[in-house]
Amino acid sequence: MKGRMTTPWVVGIAVCLLLTVAQPALADGFIIVDPPVPEIRPYLTVKYHRVTVTIEDQVATTRVDQVFLNESRHQMEGVYVFPLPDGATISDFAMWVDGERLSGEMLPADEARHIYEDIVRHQRDPALLEYIGRNTFRARIFPIPPRSEKRVEIEYSEVLSLDNGLVHYRYPLDTERFSPKPIEEVSIHVEMHSKEAIKAVYSPSHEIDLDRRGDHNATVGYEESDVLPETDFDLYYSVAEGDIGLNLLSFAEEGQDGFFLMLLAPRVEVEDAQVIAKDVTLVLDTSGSMRGEKLAQAKVALAFVLDNLHQEDRFNVIAFSTGVRQFSDRLAEASERERARRWVESLEARGGTNINRAMLEALVGVAPERPSIVIFLTDGLATEGVVKTEDILDNVDDAAPENARIFTFGVGDDVHTILLDRMARDHRGASAYVRPGQSIDEEVSSFYAKVSTPLLSDLDIDFGRIRVEDTYPYPLADLFAGTQIVMVGRYRRGGDTTVTLRGVVNGVERAFEFGDAYFSQDGGDAFIPRLWATRKVGYLLNQIRLHGESQELVEEIVDLAVRYGIMTPYTSFLVNEDADVFSEEGRKQTAEKEYTIMATAEPAAPSGEAAVDEAEKKMELERSSTSTGATGSAVRVVQNKAFLFREGMWIDTTFDAERMNPVKVGFMSEDYFALIGTHPEWGAYFGIGDRILVVLEGRAYQVVGEGQGEQVDVPTPRATGTAPVATGTPAARATATVGEPTITPPARRNLAICEGATAAMLLPFMALIWLLKRR
């Protein structure tokens, strides 16, 4: 009887220990050839890499499927290395090689550090230094026959922490850069299920596809081919009850202004009573150039919009060419959609393009008492009536009520990008382009599905005691069901505050308060500054494109592009070794040169393939949701730093050649490893190459050749104390320890078996584990 009672307690305590974990774990591995084979690269090539993740109420189960290739004619042995982040704990870890379960060993950080250092010393390759300071799983794989494949499968579980209302999952794709060749296939599939409503879903690292299935389920997908990933896969999602969720991430360096990212997301499932009745005006170009497939697709797109009107919505359709025709002389009720579909189907393409008159007639019909969406679709330039761009824009500005939102679609490349982009931007809408070969109906239908259900208009945010500035996007778009807003900006002096969101619902102002919002005062999410800078550079480039050059704007672009390593066709000076960008005077001269080039260049045509390409690239920067972006062989981004390759070494863009005298550190010297051993978080910077110049804690370190360094005074690590968890009360945040997970009630129920386990019960179990290890 006693024996039967013992087993549940042991199992219960085991489950408790397995599930009680703190931080999101990195979980990707690579194979190092050991012993090395002459003239063979030390890492095996990866053929494919597939990751499947299921997250149930913060408990994540990750399954990894990798195939490694031995492309040589030699039989090899290998060590599979699996780095974990500092402090992370993985449960239910399992590994198979070619279908057979394989045993390995989990190495503590100190022991793993010596292994990494030995590999770095032996291979003269600092790339592994970024993993110093982490616990590591290691397993030997033998044999690896010549010209063969090895399939490695891993499965593990972890409890994800909740910080500032956001759950964070991370998977480290960056280790795949060790593959000697691009990977044929990389894919990540994440299924999320939550008893609490899922609001925002966001990845700062990769462009993801998101499928929302109600408030409690979501699927995220990412897939690439022929790629060498260099960035970990990060995914954030928020869980909260209520109509709207607002969450903050932030980053600040001690004593400096900070950067924040705000996610604003409403429910996906909306009651009919919560839907705001709106007016939709469809403005369709039926000039002669629309004849054929373009007009046929546009008719399908308009039919989709009409079919998806809500019961209380009103609409009108305006067709324009040389003249203008309207379906109705007033806003029609949704019940008249069938008659409108027949009217649209009867339209024919002929005549010129009178954009000015079409827009004025569309705006005259806008009722001021409710949200109004104007969808404007054209494939050409203004050829009839008022044709000057500035005149058309002035007329639209004069005619458009405050509640009008203008969304423009340029079909093909023969459209006036300046006109379409400014018309949309000036009236809190957005512009898009349907390129040759793309489907008009698919693009318009996809857009309308996002804006068909407005929930809150005329958004305004009060950040309380925190001073916020330089935000993008500005102004904020309206909030629609199933969509989200990603806003970035700067702030001064962090701390706790209450954020108030205000907006208009059916003509009545409403306010939503979010207490205990926390802006970091030191540390945080290091990807945010570069994301903010990317959006700002895109905004500044668009200002120049739409309104003309300004030396002040060019100087700002140069400063931001250098500091954050933002590569665009307009910041080519980053790869020009003759450009001095490491001093204030040098950046000023670079900006003057770039401004002169812009000012003296032949004005770019506002239409044509090149114009549409330029418009799309700059809008992509301004709307960017990821902080990675293009870098290239001359630019590297590591955490919150950017490096430029100059004179054979990687130089930190915060280095000031006029004010800093670098300390020279010999490559592979004892001081070299002492710096990294004392500050493991610096390993990522030293890992980018054997010749670097990096600024850390206000001091510049230059890695030079072996035996060429000077004696280095290795700084002691800064005291980190405790870190705020940023949920609950300010007092609770002030006392929470680093990495302590916050668990939502559903996730905590998964750990309920742990409750009631006393120290007396744990001691026999721990003794049993000790005895088993001894055996």
Side-chain angles (χ1 to χ4, degrees):
M1 185 70 177
K2 287 182 180 179
R4 284 195 293 269
M5 290 182 64
T6 302
T7 302
W9 278 111
V10 172
V11 173
I13 296 168
V15 172
C16 172
L17 293 175
L18 289 173
L19 290 176
T20 306
V21 295
Q23 293 189 8
L26 300 185
D28 187 20
F30 49 95
I31 295 178
I32 302 172
V33 178
D34 181 41
V37 178
E39 301 179 1
I40 299 294
R41 288 201 61 174
Y43 308 107
L44 287 191
T45 298
V46 181
K47 180 180 180 180
Y48 70 71
H49 188 137
R50 300 165 185 159
V51 182
T52 304
V53 186
T54 302
I55 303 175
E56 295 267 4
D57 296 319
Q58 288 182 243
V59 178
T61 300
T62 300
R63 300 172 183 85
V64 184
D65 184 1
Q66 295 171 280
V67 167
F68 294 89
L69 301 177
N70 175 8
E71 298 177 298
S72 76
R73 50 188 175 82
H74 303 278
Q75 179 164 290
M76 297 180 180
E77 295 183 45
V79 177
Y80 184 82
V81 178
F82 185 101
L84 282 70
D86 185 30
T89 304
I90 287 179
S91 65
D92 295 338
F93 186 90
M95 178 180 180
W96 296 264
V97 176
D98 293 339
E100 294 186 9
R101 181 86 180 237
L102 189 71
S103 61
E105 57 181 334
M106 196 69 72
L107 304 176
D110 288 344
E111 190 174 343
R113 172 192 167 191
H114 294 304
I115 292 172
Y116 287 134
E117 286 187 4
D118 287 344
I119 296 172
V120 169
R121 291 179 195 271
H122 188 267
Q123 297 181 357
R124 326 305 291 173
D125 179 4
L128 291 176
L129 291 175
E130 72 171 282
Y131 304 119
I132 283 181
R134 301 180 185 178
N135 298 333
T136 297
F137 175 83
R138 179 179 66 173
R140 180 160 288 277
I141 299 177
F142 174 83
I144 308 175
R147 315 221 181 261
S148 69
E149 299 181 351
K150 279 290 177 184
R151 184 181 183 186
V152 176
E153 298 170 273
I154 290 173
E155 181 174 321
Y156 66 95
S157 298
E158 57 184 315
V159 175
L160 306 177
S161 62
L162 182 74
D163 188 0
N164 239 5
L166 288 166
V167 180
H168 181 200
Y169 173 83
R170 171 174 289 173
Y171 184 82
L173 277 177
D174 75 321
T175 58
E176 294 298 34
R177 59 194 160 89
F178 293 115
S179 176
K181 293 181 179 180
I183 304 171
E184 292 179 12
E185 176 195 341
V186 178
S187 65
I188 299 179
H189 180 89
V190 184
E191 291 278 351
M192 292 175 288
H193 311 286
S194 174
K195 292 182 176 65
E196 291 188 271
I198 298 173
K199 293 294 197 301
V201 180
Y202 169 68
S203 172
S205 59
H206 294 78
E207 295 290 344
I208 59 173
D209 182 62
L210 174 62
D211 180 25
R212 305 292 299 263
R213 302 182 309 282
D215 282 327
H216 301 273
N217 302 282
T219 301
V220 166
Y222 163 76
E223 188 171 327
E224 288 284 352
S225 57
D226 297 319
V227 64
L228 279 177
E230 293 186 346
T231 306
D232 292 340
F233 177 82
D234 282 298
L235 182 69
Y236 293 84
Y237 69 94
S238 64
V239 290
E241 297 303 331
D243 295 332
I244 296 174
L246 186 149
N247 303 93
L248 285 165
L249 294 171
S250 57
F251 177 84
E253 296 185 86
E254 189 176 22
Q256 299 183 29
D257 291 347
F259 302 81
F260 76 92
L261 178 146
M262 183 193 75
L263 295 170
L264 190 61
R267 283 183 175 274
V268 176
E269 299 171 352
V270 180
E271 301 285 343
D272 290 341
Q274 295 176 296
V275 176
I276 301 174
K278 66 182 183 299
D279 296 333
V280 179
T281 303
L282 301 161
V283 186
L284 175 63
D285 183 347
T286 56
S287 61
S289 57
M290 285 287 290
R291 187 177 295 113
E293 185 65 20
K294 286 194 285 188
L295 183 58
Q297 289 185 4
K299 289 179 178 180
V300 174
L302 266 60
F304 177 88
V305 175
L306 294 171
D307 288 344
N308 285 275
L309 292 170
H310 293 291
Q311 185 175 351
E312 301 301 321
D313 290 346
R314 300 180 302 195
F315 75 95
N316 203 356
V317 184
I318 295 175
F320 72 96
S321 53
T322 301
V324 174
R325 297 173 59 197
Q326 296 192 43
F327 164 70
S328 174
D329 58 2
R330 54 170 177 78
L331 286 166
E333 300 297 325
S335 57
E336 298 183 61
R337 74 186 84 200
E338 281 302 320
R339 188 166 63 89
R341 287 191 62 166
R342 292 192 296 272
W343 186 85
V344 168
E345 202 55 46
S346 70
L347 295 174
E348 296 180 358
R350 59 167 65 94
T353 310
N354 196 333
I355 292 175
N356 183 76
R357 184 177 169 189
M359 284 303 301
L360 295 185
E361 293 208 16
L363 294 169
V364 164
V366 171
E369 70 274 6
R370 55 201 237 168
S372 179
I373 295 174
V374 178
I375 300 174
F376 178 82
L377 193 151
T378 184
D379 77 331
L381 310 176
T383 60
E384 302 280 353
V386 178
V387 296
K388 289 185 177 180
T389 298
E390 291 298 330
D391 291 343
I392 296 174
L393 290 170
D394 288 343
N395 291 340
V396 170
D397 287 346
D398 292 340
E402 284 291 320
N403 63 317
R405 305 290 185 259
I406 299 176
F407 297 89
T408 62
F409 287 86
V411 179
D413 291 336
D414 297 325
V415 292
H416 200 297
T417 58
I418 306 297
L419 173 63
L420 297 182
D421 290 349
R422 284 184 58 184
M423 194 156 59
R425 293 168 72 93
D426 292 348
H427 299 281
R428 300 178 75 163
S431 53
Y433 294 92
V434 184
R435 308 302 296 274
Q438 293 181 321
S439 172
I440 300 172
D441 53 317
E442 289 180 6
E443 295 296 322
V444 176
S445 301
S446 175
F447 153 77
Y448 185 73
K450 297 174 183 176
V451 302
S452 62
T453 309
L455 299 178
L456 197 66
S457 62
D458 300 318
L459 272 60
D460 182 64
I461 300 179
D462 181 354
F463 290 90
R465 59 175 292 272
I466 301 295
R467 181 172 176 181
V468 164
E469 56 195 21
D470 218 359
T471 60
Y472 303 93
Y474 182 83
L476 290 174
D478 296 339
L479 200 56
F480 301 89
T483 66
Q484 62 189 30
I485 293 173
V486 180
M487 176 185 184
V488 293
R490 302 295 309 269
Y491 64 90
R492 300 185 185 181
R493 292 187 295 277
D496 296 284
T497 190
T498 295
V499 178
T500 304
L501 169 68
R502 294 185 176 87
V504 176
V505 178
N506 289 326
V508 178
E509 184 174 298
R510 288 196 60 188
F512 303 83
E513 284 195 354
F514 303 88
D516 293 332
Y518 179 76
F519 289 79
S520 175
Q521 295 170 306
D522 186 12
D525 295 277
F527 73 86
I528 302 174
R530 191 167 191 263
L531 175 58
W532 170 83
T534 299
R535 285 197 177 184
K536 182 161 187 176
V537 167
Y539 170 80
L540 295 173
L541 288 171
N542 261 325
Q543 291 301 301
I544 290 173
R545 179 175 70 92
L546 299 175
H547 302 287
E549 295 84 4
S550 159
Q551 184 157 345
E552 290 77 12
L553 296 183
V554 175
E555 288 179 358
E556 202 164 2
I557 290 170
V558 169
D559 284 342
L560 290 169
V562 170
R563 169 62 184 87
Y564 297 102
I566 299 171
M567 285 286 292
T568 77
Y570 317 97
T571 54
S572 58
F573 53 82
L574 290 178
V575 297
N576 179 5
E577 293 225 8
D578 295 330
D580 174 18
V581 294
F582 295 107
S583 67
E584 187 175 343
E585 180 61 29
R587 288 191 294 273
K588 185 176 180 181
Q589 291 176 3
T590 300
E592 289 174 353
K593 181 179 178 180
E594 293 296 320
Y595 173 72
T596 301
I597 293 172
M598 287 184 181
T600 58
E602 195 73 27
S607 62
E609 182 179 355
V612 178
D613 283 344
E614 183 181 18
E616 289 191 320
K617 287 174 182 175
K618 291 178 178 177
M619 283 192 297
E620 183 179 356
L621 276 176
E622 189 175 357
R623 299 172 183 174
S624 178
S625 291
T626 64
S627 60
T628 50
T631 51
S633 60
V635 182
R636 290 286 300 275
V637 175
V638 181
Q639 297 178 9
N640 64 324
K641 285 185 175 293
F643 294 81
L644 303 183
F645 196 72
R646 292 283 193 278
E647 300 176 2
M649 69 176 166
W650 292 101
I651 303 178
D652 185 342
T653 58
T654 63
F655 174 67
D656 190 332
E658 296 174 341
R659 296 182 174 86
M660 294 180 176
N661 185 26
V663 176
K664 292 181 171 55
V665 183
F667 183 56
M668 297 291 169
S669 66
E670 292 305 315
D671 285 338
Y672 177 83
F673 285 105
L675 279 171
I676 301 164
T678 309
H679 297 267
E681 70 277 10
W682 293 1
Y685 306 127
F686 284 89
I688 67 173
D690 58 3
R691 296 292 183 273
I692 69 164
L693 198 165
V694 60
V695 180
L696 298 164
E697 296 185 358
R699 181 186 295 183
Y701 297 93
Q702 181 179 349
V703 177
V704 295
E706 295 182 53
Q708 299 177 19
E710 57 193 74
Q711 185 172 352
V712 179
D713 180 17
V714 178
T716 57
R718 287 171 50 196
T720 55
T722 58
V725 175
T727 55
T729 66
R733 284 205 293 276
T735 58
T737 58
V738 175
E740 177 184 325
T742 302
I743 312 297
T744 60
R748 190 170 298 283
R749 283 192 291 273
N750 289 332
L751 306 181
I753 194 169
C754 301
E755 296 180 2
T758 64
M761 296 172 186
L762 285 173
L763 284 173
F765 185 68
M766 293 171 68
L768 176 62
I769 292 175
W770 181 81
L771 287 171
L772 291 173
K773 288 178 69 177
R774 294 277 293 175
R775 290 181 63 187

